[in-house]
Amino acid sequence: MPHLHLEYTANLPELNADVALMRLNNTLVGSGQFGAEFDIKSRAVKLETFRVGTALAERAFVHVKLAILSGRSEQIKKQLSESLLAVVRDLCEWPAGVEVQLCVEILDIDRESYSKTSVGH
Amino acid sequence: MPHLHLEYTANLPELNADVALMRLNNTLVGSGQFGAEFDIKSRAVKLETFRVGTALAERAFVHVKLAILSGRSEQIKKQLSESLLAVVRDLCEWPAGVEVQLCVEILDIDRESYSKTSVGH
Amino acid sequence: MPHLHLEYTANLPELNADVALMRLNNTLVGSGQFGAEFDIKSRAVKLETFRVGTALAERAFVHVKLAILSGRSEQIKKQLSESLLAVVRDLCEWPAGVEVQLCVEILDIDRESYSKTSVGH
């Protein structure tokens, strides 16, 4: 906990996913909401097959999902969401002539049934 | 909002994911539930590593997840789910001798903490 | 139902995803919670782009998400979670010098709006 998923469409060539994850993780550490930096587990997936709406215009999107253990207030979730969106907005030069939608979603992980261990420490 | 995820196993060679997303998006637009066609963001992922159950029979599945902002009634969710399933059922000729499971799931996005912006308009 | 998602970072070369899914499915069948073995639909995704925390140490993770129809008790969810984690822990020799986090999360599928059919039976 937390788990971050970054999805981005393949028509955003300037988006560097490694850099994006580092910046997003730094933002989560800076939020003060999470006990240890190594708890933050993030992954990025480039979407090769996608469609936005039904029109023929060229479109793209970036979607961040942050899953955190249940129990945090709506205010904290909203703050996390907005701070991640601010990072996403500055991730790269967005391509000219493409409508790019940027979204951040916060999900609860059911705390009671979440299990975790680690090896190799 | 909404976000649609289409997953399909790699042993369904007749399934054209681009066509599938277009049909699914058209169905969502036609439902009248969403304000603007460009709000619909869909992606498809082919699953190369999968397993259905524990028997040796050849099996496949297609799973659609539709995530919508919280607040819609169970009846509307059920209608959306059934209309998407009807589209999935007709996506292609299903391979002979393979048990194919088709599923549609509707998820709520927490409305309060969902953040969004767009660039390039 | 149920749907199992296995994610694992690309720096775990000893992890055999096909074997992992078979063992996880066997565990779910053995739990007695699911009516038919063919209902269990599992997939594995190798994460090529990921980051754990912000430090430079080499790190890895495996994350299992099990989505089941809503209505089961917290106790049953906890048992499922712990039994899957026990399987994950024994999936392979973990690489020396790498901190590996192993997690299992249980999610509810909204029962009312879940649609399903099958073809080819």
Side-chain angles (χ1 to χ4, degrees):
Chain A
M1 208 281 310
H3 286 276
L4 185 144
H5 292 252
L6 169 70
E7 293 179 300
Y8 62 103
T9 55
N11 58 347
L12 296 171
E14 299 296 318
L15 195 154
N16 181 319
D18 285 309
V19 171
L21 292 185
M22 181 54 103
R23 288 191 193 170
L24 292 163
N25 283 14
N26 277 326
T27 300
L28 292 177
V29 169
S31 75
Q33 284 297 318
F34 307 106
E37 54 85 24
F38 58 75
D39 275 345
I40 300 168
K41 290 169 281 293
S42 298
R43 64 286 260 161
V45 174
K46 186 195 288 192
L47 302 170
E48 301 286 350
T49 307
F50 64 96
R51 175 155 295 275
V52 180
T54 53
L56 284 178
E58 193 178 354
R59 293 161 170 178
F61 65 88
V62 180
H63 187 211
V64 172
K65 289 191 288 183
L66 178 69
I68 57 178
L69 285 177
S70 50
R72 281 180 177 76
S73 71
E74 281 299 330
Q75 192 192 348
I76 287 174
K77 289 185 194 175
K78 206 175 161 72
Q79 285 171 1
L80 285 168
S81 178
E82 289 171 357
S83 61
L84 293 174
L85 185 62
V87 173
V88 171
R89 200 186 280 120
D90 289 339
L91 280 182
C92 65
E93 285 290 312
W94 304 103
V98 181
E99 298 172 9
V100 188
Q101 296 181 56
L102 313 173
C103 332
V104 179
E105 175 184 356
I106 312 289
L107 298 95
D108 274 345
I109 296 173
D110 180 52
R111 183 183 288 271
E112 299 301 315
S113 57
Y114 187 64
S115 298
K116 192 180 150 185
T117 190
S118 58
V119 292
H121 277 292
Chain B
M1 208 285 304
H3 285 277
L4 184 145
H5 292 251
L6 169 70
E7 294 179 300
Y8 61 103
T9 54
N11 57 347
L12 295 172
E14 299 297 317
L15 194 153
N16 181 319
D18 285 307
V19 171
L21 292 185
M22 181 55 101
R23 289 190 193 171
L24 292 164
N25 283 14
N26 278 326
T27 300
L28 292 177
V29 169
S31 75
Q33 285 296 318
F34 308 107
E37 55 85 22
F38 58 75
D39 275 345
I40 301 168
K41 291 169 281 292
S42 299
R43 65 286 259 163
V45 175
K46 185 195 286 190
L47 302 170
E48 301 286 349
T49 307
F50 64 94
R51 175 156 293 277
V52 179
T54 52
L56 284 180
E58 194 178 355
R59 292 161 170 178
F61 64 89
V62 180
H63 187 210
V64 172
K65 288 190 289 182
L66 177 70
I68 57 178
L69 285 177
S70 49
R72 281 181 178 75
S73 70
E74 281 299 331
Q75 192 193 351
I76 287 174
K77 290 185 195 176
K78 204 174 162 73
Q79 285 171 0
L80 285 168
S81 178
E82 288 171 358
S83 61
L84 293 174
L85 185 63
V87 174
V88 171
R89 201 184 282 121
D90 288 339
L91 280 182
C92 65
E93 286 289 311
W94 304 104
V98 180
E99 298 172 8
V100 189
Q101 296 182 56
L102 313 173
C103 332
V104 179
E105 176 184 355
I106 313 289
L107 297 96
D108 273 346
I109 296 173
D110 181 52
R111 184 183 286 273
E112 299 299 315
S113 58
Y114 187 65
S115 297
K116 192 180 149 185
T117 191
S118 58
V119 293
H121 276 293
Chain C
M1 207 284 304
H3 286 276
L4 184 145
H5 292 251
L6 169 70
E7 295 178 299
Y8 62 103
T9 54
N11 58 348
L12 295 171
E14 299 295 319
L15 193 154
N16 181 318
D18 285 308
V19 171
L21 292 185
M22 181 53 103
R23 289 190 192 170
L24 292 163
N25 284 13
N26 277 326
T27 300
L28 292 177
V29 169
S31 75
Q33 285 297 316
F34 308 106
E37 54 85 23
F38 59 74
D39 275 345
I40 300 168
K41 290 170 281 292
S42 298
R43 64 286 260 162
V45 175
K46 186 196 285 192
L47 302 170
E48 300 286 350
T49 308
F50 64 94
R51 174 156 295 277
V52 180
T54 53
L56 286 179
E58 191 176 356
R59 292 160 170 178
F61 66 88
V62 180
H63 187 209
V64 172
K65 289 192 288 183
L66 177 71
I68 57 177
L69 285 177
S70 49
R72 281 182 179 74
S73 70
E74 282 298 332
Q75 192 193 350
I76 287 173
K77 290 185 194 176
K78 206 175 160 73
Q79 285 171 359
L80 285 168
S81 178
E82 289 172 357
S83 61
L84 292 174
L85 185 63
V87 173
V88 171
R89 199 184 283 120
D90 288 338
L91 279 181
C92 64
E93 285 290 311
W94 304 104
V98 181
E99 298 172 10
V100 189
Q101 296 182 55
L102 313 173
C103 332
V104 179
E105 177 184 355
I106 313 290
L107 297 95
D108 273 346
I109 296 173
D110 181 52
R111 183 183 287 271
E112 299 300 315
S113 58
Y114 187 65
S115 297
K116 191 180 151 185
T117 190
S118 58
V119 292
H121 275 293

